[in-house]
Amino acid sequence: QVQLVESGGGLVQAGGSLRLSCAASGRTFSTYGMGWFRQAPGKDREFVAAISWSGVSTYYAHSVKGRFTISRENVKNTMYLQMNSLKPEDTAVYYCAVNSDWNWSIHEVDYWGQGTQVTVSS
């Protein structure tokens, strides 16, 4: 089992920045790929970004590429999502995810966090 706890969400004005954190515990954290998904009201949960267990490989949704940066510190069992130039359409609950392979379909995620709310005002 892996337990994931997100933090860092909040309310920010358009153009602002937030950094989300995901603290992991349980099974060996460093061997998993990790990622972020988000779900806006009335919409399906969607992929945002992922990072390999080594941190060398990253993958972003087109809608956030160039604005968001994913990173991880295996020694701290923590993953981050730096979000810059935020837009109102980034408003959603953001979920941390752990995956034992590199298939980032929502149905392939092994573990989920409970989510943290990000609200971007215009």
Side-chain angles (χ1 to χ4, degrees):
Q1 286 286 338
V2 174
Q3 293 78 44
L4 304 171
V5 179
E6 302 96 332
S7 61
L11 173 64
V12 64
Q13 288 188 332
S17 299
L18 281 175
R19 188 175 83 153
L20 305 183
S21 299
C22 173
S25 61
R27 284 189 172 179
T28 305
F29 169 81
S30 61
T31 62
Y32 285 92
M34 297 195 71
W36 292 95
F37 286 73
R38 67 186 181 186
Q39 188 166 17
K43 294 188 177 181
D44 293 334
R45 192 171 297 190
E46 64 176 7
F47 171 80
V48 174
I51 187 166
S52 63
W53 68 269
S54 66
V56 171
S57 298
T58 56
Y59 173 42
Y60 295 93
H62 178 74
S63 59
V64 306
K65 199 167 187 178
R67 299 188 298 122
F68 291 10
T69 301
I70 190 170
S71 61
R72 64 191 293 171
E73 289 186 84
N74 287 345
V75 66
K76 295 183 178 180
N77 287 352
T78 303
M79 175 182 65
Y80 307 98
L81 185 68
Q82 178 67 43
M83 304 186 294
N84 298 329
S85 302
L86 282 161
K87 305 175 181 180
E89 50 263 45
D90 294 317
T91 295
V93 177
Y94 282 70
Y95 296 91
C96 175
V98 162
N99 201 342
S100 55
D101 60 34
W102 197 243
N103 183 339
W104 289 101
S105 164
I106 189 172
H107 304 292
E108 298 295 325
V109 169
D110 295 313
Y111 301 99
W112 294 100
Q114 84 289 349
T116 186
Q117 177 70 47
V118 171
T119 303
V120 184
S121 63
S122 57

